[in-house]
Amino acid sequence: MKLLTIGAFARAAGLSPKALRLYDELGLLPPAAVDAENGYRFYDPGQLERARFIASLRRLDMPLALIRRICQLPPEDAAAEVGRYWARVAADTAAREQLAALLVGRLAAQADASGPAPELSLRAAARSAVGLVRDTDEDLAYAGTRLLAVADGMRGTAGALAAEAAVAALHRLETRPDDDPLLDSLAAAFADADAAVRSVAGRAHGHRDTARGDGGRAVTTLTALLWTGSHTGLAHVGDTRAYLLRDGGLRQLTDDHSWVRGQVDLGRLSHEEAAVHPRRSLLTAALDGGGTRPELALHPAAAGDRYLLCTDGLWSVVATATLRTVLCGCAEPGQAADELVAAAYAAGAPDNVACVVADVTAS
């Protein structure tokens, strides 16, 4: 087979000659032959697959030392090592996203302080129901003057206690000082909620639901919205959701921390397949006392906004179009919340249902 010059091989592999020379020096991709007189490098076309693999790993910003180790592994072990590396990158990215969100929150708060306060107010209603299949209610909905929250406990009595403790830990946000950074306050309150769930685990051992096999472990999802008058701060862990209805359009503000959502993001499942997948309830993040950090976001508030926070007992059985129709068609938050619960029951209500509907209005 005819050998390729370094320039031709570089073009075929999507690399630069400079990168190929570096990979040669590091022993990653030595050429098939080197001209003894002029030192020109020549490559076998059969080396293209390895070259493209190395290039792909470099696009992940993987260190060359790790690439060298991965290239020496069998495919199964190499795949596991790439997965571990990307999990570390994803965790670091999430941490930086949270830091960026906190900085945005601080700057937005400073901007708010320098301008006239908007004349807005919040009206909200919370509803929860056991559903048509479950015997106990492990969901919780809370609507205060500034704080909205929904939680979905898991594994019977322990989950119900976890949801209650997590939401209770957020109640202090109702009296949060106006000069405290909004997202900092939410992050700290979620840390308290996680600690509260951890403390519940011990008490839950005395109330084990042996029929459900929960073993007393305390786990809950939690989505909370904190209103300031000009902005809302949103914190979220799990597959409880927050939506915003604005100008007739309904937008989901949170991403589900679930296995199927990850598969959709990777292109392995469609949204339709995810909705009926047997692993659709498998979470990738929840409050379990292990230090889980929430996703944080800041949203400007406007008169006419309507927020919906809900557990999967609502959104998983009631189509998004129906959610929008109900939210658009009801004048009062309480009426909308009642009709949303009724829609879940009309769809069979196989799970507990909890929701909060809140309106931002001009004072």
Side-chain angles (χ1 to χ4, degrees):
M1 185 177 293
K2 184 179 179 180
L3 298 180
L4 300 175
T5 65
I6 188 171
F9 187 81
R11 288 191 293 274
L15 294 166
S16 68
K18 181 179 179 180
L20 288 173
R21 286 190 287 270
L22 175 62
Y23 298 162
D24 178 17
E25 293 170 5
L26 296 174
L28 269 173
L29 190 64
V34 179
D35 190 292
E37 293 186 2
N38 55 34
Y40 287 168
R41 294 171 172 87
F42 295 90
Y43 291 82
D44 190 310
Q47 294 179 281
L48 282 171
E49 182 177 355
R50 182 182 176 94
R52 289 167 179 157
F53 178 59
I54 293 171
S56 295
L57 295 178
R58 286 298 290 158
R59 283 196 288 273
L60 295 178
D61 289 328
M62 184 177 289
L64 289 169
L66 180 56
I67 292 175
R68 183 167 56 244
R69 185 167 76 248
I70 287 174
C71 287
Q72 296 170 352
L73 297 174
E76 184 177 354
D77 294 340
E81 189 66 37
V82 172
R84 284 191 290 269
Y85 169 77
W86 189 248
R88 292 193 298 271
V89 171
D92 179 63
T93 300
R96 285 184 288 166
E97 286 177 346
Q98 290 184 10
L99 176 59
L102 291 172
L103 293 173
V104 169
R106 291 192 186 104
L107 293 171
Q110 292 172 7
D112 291 344
S114 64
E119 296 296 327
L120 299 175
S121 59
L122 189 72
R123 292 185 297 125
R127 300 287 187 272
S128 65
V130 70
L132 294 172
V133 176
R134 297 291 182 87
D135 295 325
T136 59
D137 193 354
E138 299 154 22
D139 288 6
L140 186 65
Y142 173 84
T145 57
R146 305 173 69 182
L147 174 70
L148 315 175
V150 290
D152 183 354
M154 286 164 275
R155 301 183 179 91
T157 302
L161 292 171
E164 181 181 357
V167 173
L170 303 184
H171 285 177
R172 65 178 178 80
L173 293 173
E174 293 280 15
T175 56
R176 160 189 166 270
D178 291 336
D179 57 351
D180 279 1
L182 180 58
L183 295 183
D184 284 353
S185 298
L186 272 169
F190 261 64
D192 290 344
D194 193 59
V197 170
R198 184 169 61 250
S199 69
V200 158
R203 290 190 285 122
H205 280 288
H207 301 277
R208 291 185 181 183
D209 189 341
T210 54
R212 291 173 60 95
D214 65 22
R217 187 185 179 206
V219 180
T220 187
T221 65
L222 183 61
T223 299
L225 185 148
L226 182 60
W227 182 73
T228 66
S230 60
H231 286 79
T232 56
L234 184 63
H236 164 69
V237 173
D239 65 353
T240 40
R241 288 183 176 181
Y243 295 86
L244 170 63
L245 181 74
R246 177 177 285 175
D247 298 328
L250 185 64
R251 180 165 64 98
Q252 185 177 331
L253 299 179
T254 53
D255 291 328
D256 300 335
H257 298 147
S258 64
W259 181 84
V260 291
R261 170 63 194 227
Q263 297 303 297
V264 170
D265 290 344
L266 292 171
R268 295 173 180 170
L269 289 177
S270 67
H271 288 282
E272 293 74 20
E273 291 170 332
V276 296
H277 197 281
R279 299 180 71 183
R280 61 186 178 276
S281 297
L282 180 61
L283 297 179
T284 56
L287 291 185
D288 58 3
T292 302
R293 295 180 179 179
E295 286 191 7
L296 299 166
L298 188 72
H299 299 278
D305 285 351
R306 171 166 280 183
Y307 290 96
L308 167 65
L309 276 63
C310 63
T311 60
D312 62 342
L314 178 62
W315 65 256
S316 68
V317 297
V318 179
T320 303
T322 303
L323 297 179
R324 177 186 171 280
T325 298
V326 172
L327 291 170
C328 287
C330 297
E332 296 297 323
Q335 179 190 1
D338 287 337
E339 293 201 14
L340 289 171
V341 172
Y345 270 75
D351 198 355
N352 303 151
V353 186
C355 64
V356 177
V357 178
D359 289 347
V360 178
T361 62
S363 299

